Amino acid sequence: TLSRTRFSCDRFRVRYDSWKRIININRAIMSAKKIPKKWIEEKRAFLKKTLPQKRGGVLFTPDAHFYAQYHTDHRQGLHAMASAIFDWLAIKPQGCVIDFYDEKTIQEKGSSDVAGFYTTAEIEGENKEVILINAKHKEDPMHVGAILAHEMMHLYLTRLDIALPDRDENELLTDLATIEMGLPILVFNGMSFSSRWIRDTFPPSTA
């Protein structure tokens, strides 16, 4: 189960009218972030060979129910989202702590402004996995869901001991793994609010 520990630092629909736009996400990533096509192909092949769960093109489809509890209680809604993703990935929470954090407090401790992050920490005498979502996104369940999917993929890959030494490349590998594991819609729902290259590449339908 998810840890109930609070971490202390001292519109619901797919937004694009074509599955083709989702399938073509790799081309969008490549063109927007200037990633060589060969690198993309190599890492996708690596993930297909290494990841234990084979989704075969089946996608996780977040519906109104996925986001519903978030409007009643942000933290409980966050945990409900996480539980659904844990089930989709077929892994156990193992006491993972998932919570929001105040970016000002984190910055005071020397960390940069990030949407979210995954780490481990000793809490109440136990070493626990921790996923924190920047509280400035708290009012946007779509954005929170997208950040959560990315950070949970960090957790998933870490448990499998899959990582690249270069930090930026490892972030991109995590993005690709999120796609390979069937979570692109969840990410797209959140990115549509904040990502210029997503809006330019996949403009909303005017039909």
Side-chain angles (χ1 to χ4, degrees):
T1 60
L2 282 169
S3 171
R4 298 301 177 186
T5 302
R6 287 187 177 275
F7 190 88
S8 172
C9 298
D10 281 12
R11 330 158 321 185
F12 310 116
R13 61 186 176 87
V14 179
R15 296 184 174 274
Y16 305 102
D17 62 350
S18 171
W19 288 106
K20 184 177 180 182
R21 290 187 169 115
I22 295 172
I23 295 170
N24 285 342
I25 188 171
N26 289 325
R27 272 187 274 177
I29 293 173
M30 181 179 63
S31 62
K33 297 188 177 181
K34 310 301 182 184
I35 306 169
K37 184 176 180 180
K38 183 179 180 181
W39 189 95
I40 292 277
E41 292 174 346
E42 288 177 351
K43 296 305 180 285
R44 286 196 67 194
F46 167 75
L47 289 170
K48 287 179 182 294
K49 180 180 179 180
T50 308
L51 293 174
Q53 301 292 328
K54 310 300 182 186
R55 286 299 171 192
V58 179
L59 301 178
F60 178 83
T61 53
D63 54 13
H65 178 74
F66 177 79
Y67 298 101
Q69 192 172 350
Y70 194 85
H71 291 284
T72 304
D73 184 300
H74 289 341
R75 189 165 179 268
Q76 288 185 12
L78 177 65
H79 283 189
M81 289 182 187
S83 294
I85 299 173
F86 273 120
D87 288 345
W88 176 261
L89 296 175
I91 58 175
K92 302 294 185 182
Q94 297 178 1
C96 178
V97 176
I98 300 180
D99 210 340
F100 295 97
Y101 78 92
D102 181 348
E103 64 178 353
K104 293 181 180 179
T105 304
I106 293 291
Q107 287 170 351
E108 288 171 1
K109 294 182 175 295
S111 296
S112 60
D113 173 21
V114 293
F117 60 89
Y118 162 77
T119 187
T120 58
E122 186 174 325
I123 301 174
E124 299 176 349
E126 294 184 45
N127 192 48
K128 292 182 178 289
E129 294 170 305
V130 178
I131 290 175
L132 298 179
I133 309 296
N134 194 321
K136 74 179 184 180
H137 303 294
K138 204 171 186 177
E139 300 305 316
D140 186 345
M142 296 283 197
H143 208 167
V144 167
I147 297 166
L148 181 63
H150 178 84
E151 300 309 327
M152 288 185 67
M153 190 52 56
H154 274 300
L155 177 152
Y156 185 69
L157 295 178
T158 298
R159 288 188 184 182
L160 294 172
D161 197 25
I162 298 174
L164 298 178
D166 181 86
R167 180 178 178 179
D168 290 339
E169 287 193 354
N170 195 57
E171 286 297 318
L172 294 172
L173 182 73
T174 304
D175 288 337
L176 288 175
T178 304
I179 296 165
E180 292 297 330
M181 290 304 297
L183 298 170
I185 299 174
L186 184 55
V187 175
F188 263 38
N189 277 350
M191 293 179 73
S192 63
F193 289 99
S194 61
S195 176
R196 178 179 176 183
W197 68 263
I198 283 288
R199 290 197 302 270
D200 291 345
T201 307
F202 303 117
S205 174
T206 57

